[in-house]
Amino acid sequence: MIETKRLVMRPFESSDFDIIFRVYSDDEILRYTPFDSMDEKRAERHLQQVIEDWGKDPRLSYEFAVCIKETGEKIGRSHILVDPETDTGMIGMFLIQEHWGKHFATEIAEALIRYCFTVLHLHRVNAVCNPENTASWRMLEKSGLRREAFLLKKCKYVKNGIVSWQDELEYAMLASEYRPADHK
């Protein structure tokens, strides 16, 4: 579990179908991602996979339900995907729309970065986003990550059976650059 000033990020449980389905069935949340929206059956399978991933050894996927600390309200999901070959943790998150613009994403990113370096002891943290998603890349920069690449037509999007290739930004930080005081 990861705690911030306003949030708790905890492993998913079988009772968390509501937030998984809400996030992955919302086309606007998924607009700048390669993911197509999920029906209930696919969302249920995804939830089961996420829960199973927590029991794997070594654990390479950490997917958290994001909840408001004060109320317990589920507002999204966050994740860390560990690449053991490069000792890198890729971070990301999705929040339901009514919680956009409240600076939760920056709070989540800073907490995930801290967890990667202080708990998982990784060498590097990275994140990717679509260049058209201005709010995401600004949040990544605010959280302390540096833009490392603008990759042309790198990401394959499949939406409603239609394939398109989209540009992608990559952001990162090395453990040697991490300053805990900057990421409370």
Side-chain angles (χ1 to χ4, degrees):
M1 182 164 53
I2 301 173
E3 288 191 41
T4 70
K5 182 178 178 181
R6 301 179 293 166
L7 302 171
V8 172
M9 290 179 269
R10 59 163 176 76
F12 275 95
E13 303 166 351
S14 57
S15 61
D16 292 325
F17 174 79
D18 56 337
I19 193 64
I20 286 284
F21 184 65
R22 188 151 179 213
V23 165
Y24 287 103
S25 66
D26 188 322
D27 289 331
E28 189 58 27
I29 293 173
L30 301 176
R31 178 178 179 191
Y32 296 111
T33 74
F35 309 114
D36 208 353
S37 58
M38 294 183 184
D39 60 20
E40 288 186 21
K41 193 172 188 175
R42 276 186 59 210
E44 182 61 44
R45 283 196 309 266
H46 180 73
L47 176 60
Q48 291 311 312
Q49 182 63 57
V50 165
I51 292 169
E52 288 173 21
D53 286 346
W54 278 93
K56 291 184 178 174
D57 185 23
R59 184 180 311 142
L60 302 177
S61 179
Y62 299 75
E63 190 152 350
F64 301 95
V66 178
C67 307
I68 294 178
K69 189 185 289 187
E70 212 172 85
T71 64
E73 177 188 1
K74 297 177 234 178
I75 64 167
R77 53 71 80 186
S78 64
H79 75 264
I80 302 168
L81 298 175
V82 176
D83 179 346
E85 290 184 24
T86 61
D87 203 21
T88 298
M90 177 184 279
I91 64 169
M93 76 228 39
F94 294 131
L95 296 175
I96 58 175
Q97 290 186 54
E98 50 266 33
H99 292 287
W100 292 359
K102 298 179 180 178
H103 305 285
F104 286 132
T106 303
E107 192 170 328
I108 292 166
E110 290 173 351
L112 294 174
I113 292 166
R114 181 176 61 248
Y115 191 85
C116 285
F117 290 136
T118 65
V119 176
L120 300 178
H121 304 289
L122 296 174
H123 165 68
R124 186 172 185 270
V125 170
N126 78 327
V128 295
C129 70
N130 185 305
E132 293 179 19
N133 191 347
T134 307
S136 285
W137 61 257
R138 284 184 178 157
M139 174 275 301
L140 293 172
E141 290 175 0
K142 186 175 179 183
S143 70
L145 298 179
R146 135 189 97 261
R147 185 181 293 185
E148 290 194 331
F150 188 114
L151 304 161
L152 297 176
K153 306 298 181 209
K154 191 230 178 215
C155 196
K156 184 178 183 178
Y157 281 44
V158 181
K159 303 276 187 168
N160 300 316
I162 299 170
V163 175
S164 67
W165 288 93
Q166 300 292 319
D167 299 341
E168 188 171 79
L169 296 175
E170 182 166 354
Y171 285 81
M173 178 187 291
L174 298 173
S176 60
E177 298 170 311
Y178 177 68
R179 303 290 176 260
D182 298 337
H183 297 87
K184 295 178 184 169

